[in-house]
Structure formats: structure tokens, C-alpha cells
Amino acid sequence: MDVAGKIPRLVPVEIRPGVVVCGDAAGVAREAAARFVQLSRQFVTNEGFFSVALAGGKTPRELYRVLASDEFWPQADWGKVHLFWGDERAVPPDHPDSNYGMVCRELLARVPIPPENIHRMEAERPDAEQAAGEYEAVLRRYLQTDSQGFPRFHLILLGMGADGHTASLFAGSPALAEMSRWVSAQFVEKLGSRRMTLTLPVLNAADNVIFLVTGAEKAETLERVIEGTSQPRLPAQRVQPAGQRLFLVDTAAAGAVLNKKTP
Ligand code: 6PG
């Protein structure tokens, strides 16, 4: 049976405005895939194309697999979908840590998307700042800008670390403080390596941001991000897009929010 067929059809429940619990991680992937294809239809109809910045890490892998499943891939007009990356590690595409490489394996190898619609971050280049500037030029070529002059993605998919980072925006990092450039390629002290990432103003210019958060290890941080109780604010908390912000979470990650009395 196709992977989508194995996913339990648990009914998602909105536990706070913009926070939807989807059962387990498979349920999160399925709900995210449904919203991806729904948004792709909406933007292809209204604007002729659908621009998405993809999340890296482990959580979205299941989403990409489900999107590539027989149930979902035919629902998107892949010739009009343009894929970008929210962040990338300083490794070549064939490295096991590459976000691009993961998407290639789980999605791009199985859907009819034209190669010219795939816009990889060349984060492995030694001239990282130059590569960041060139990625900014790619965004400029394909995306309209908002009233502040930042590129407007139709959808940005994001994960969240247990420390509250998102994309490669880590608390206290120069990249998080970057308020004018669209793409940053800086050394991340916490990781001991360089990352290329979209900056916070770009995340906040999006029409839609969907966070995918699963696992009990993220429950306490998710509660702080959702309730806005962290000072200074965690990077994920600072993602307050002009458009819609949605958290798709599993029951484990929602544990602390569910145990809290509603305000
Ligand atoms: C990356 C991601 C990063 C990720 C979080 C959560 O390149 O790793 O952009 O922000 O979303 O670290 O990672 P997991 O999904 O693996 O928990």
C-alpha cells in the first residue's frame, strides 16, 4: 500500500488559534500535504504559480514522502510549483546532511517538477556571502515583494528546534539580527559550522507560514512560543508573518499546551 494509505485519518483539532494537533507525526505530514496542495491550487489559480520555501531537518521528510505519494502528487500542478529552501547546511548536495539532497530523495525524484523550478541554496560554496547574494537575486527574479520590499513567498514551511530556533535562525546569532538582507550565510557558533538561511523579515513577509513540530522534546518550547511567554523572544516566536501562521503539531509536542488551562 502507498505510504499515504497507511496514515491514520485522525481528525485534526485546533487547540489554540493557529495551532492544530494532528495526532501523530504521520497525521502532521498528511495534514501538511493536504494544505500544501490546497494552497498550490489557490495560488496557481490566482497568480499562475506557487512559490514554496522548504524546511530542512528530519520532521518534514514524512511530508515530502506523502506529497510524492500516489494520493497527493497528482493534486499539484508541478509545472507551476517553484521550490526554494528556507535554509541549507554548508555541505554539497550529495552529503547526508544536505536539506536539498533529502528533498531530492523524498520528493523531487518522484514528481514531474521541471528542473528549472528547483532553486537550490549553494551553501557549500566557500564564497558563502557571494552565494547568499546570488540566492537573493534568484528570489528577486521569481518573487514579488511586499510593501517593505521583502520577497513574498506563497508558503514557507518551517521546523523548530527544541531550543526554539527555526530555519537557521538561532537565538543570539547575527543571522537572526539581520533586518535588511534577504539571505544570510554566517557561521553558527552553536553548531560550529556555517549555514545559509532566509532572514526573519523574509519569513515574516510570507502569505503563509506552516510550522511542523513533533516530539515530546519540543513540548515545553512550543508552549513558550505559542503562549508568547519567552523573553527574549525565541526565534520561532518572532515569526509573525503578514499572512497566516499555522502550527501543525503532534500530540506529543502539544503536551505542555494541552496541559495548560486555556487563557
Ligand atoms: C535544518 C532546519 C532546522 C530544523 C529544526 C528542527 O536545516 O535543520 O531548517 O531549522 O527545522 O532544527 O529539526 P528536526 O525536524 O530534525 O527536529
Side-chain angles (χ1 to χ4, degrees):
M1 183 194 308
D2 187 73
V3 66
K6 297 189 188 106
I7 290 172
R9 314 266 171 133
L10 300 169
V11 176
V13 177
E14 187 166 38
I15 58 169
R16 292 284 193 286
V19 183
V20 175
V21 180
C22 313
D24 58 8
V28 168
R30 182 178 183 81
E31 183 65 18
R35 290 172 186 258
F36 181 104
V37 295
Q38 180 266 324
L39 288 170
S40 71
R41 278 197 294 269
Q42 171 189 328
F43 284 100
V44 167
T45 302
N46 298 336
E47 298 190 33
F49 74 111
F50 181 46
S51 60
V52 189
L54 298 174
K58 292 186 288 296
T59 306
R61 263 192 311 221
E62 186 63 23
L63 161 59
Y64 303 142
R65 281 188 200 129
V66 172
L67 270 178
S69 70
D70 294 344
E71 180 182 354
F72 280 94
W73 78 260
Q75 299 183 49
D77 182 349
W78 293 97
K80 294 181 179 151
V81 176
H82 281 264
L83 298 179
F84 303 81
W85 271 256
D87 73 325
E88 184 56 278
R89 292 85 181 274
V91 295
D94 59 355
H95 189 283
D97 289 348
S98 166
N99 287 333
Y100 168 81
M102 180 267 287
V103 174
C104 279
R105 290 188 297 275
E106 304 300 350
L107 179 64
L108 304 186
R110 305 188 214 158
V111 296
I113 186 168
E116 62 270 22
N117 289 22
I118 301 166
H119 311 288
R120 177 176 86 85
M121 280 183 165
E122 297 176 338
E124 74 279 12
R125 283 172 42 181
D127 58 341
E129 285 307 320
Q130 172 72 18
E134 288 173 19
Y135 203 70
E136 201 166 299
V138 171
L139 302 184
R140 214 172 279 283
R141 180 171 164 207
Y142 287 94
L143 304 179
Q144 290 162 7
T145 53
D146 70 0
S147 57
Q148 311 289 316
F150 289 101
R152 184 175 61 83
F153 280 94
H154 296 144
L155 171 61
I156 297 181
L157 293 170
L158 291 172
M160 187 191 79
D163 62 357
H165 82 265
T166 190
S168 285
L169 301 175
F170 291 81
S173 69
L176 182 65
E178 177 59 58
M179 290 295 144
S180 53
R181 296 192 61 186
W182 297 3
V183 184
S184 172
Q186 315 227 5
F187 187 80
V188 180
E189 288 297 330
K190 178 167 190 170
L191 302 176
S193 64
R194 183 182 293 279
R195 288 281 188 95
M196 188 178 290
T197 185
L198 298 180
T199 57
L200 189 60
V202 174
L203 304 188
N204 283 333
D207 285 321
N208 295 275
V209 170
I210 297 180
F211 278 92
L212 308 178
V213 184
T214 62
E217 72 280 6
K218 299 181 182 179
E220 190 272 330
T221 302
L222 182 68
E223 193 267 334
R224 288 165 61 198
V225 168
I226 298 300
E227 307 298 359
T229 51
S230 255
Q231 286 304 335
R233 292 185 302 159
L234 296 168
Q237 204 176 328
R238 294 179 60 185
V239 177
Q240 303 279 348
Q244 299 294 314
R245 184 183 82 165
L246 175 67
F247 281 85
L248 296 181
V249 304
D250 69 356
T251 308
V257 176
L258 289 168
N259 293 332
K260 198 175 163 66
K261 295 282 171 281
T262 44

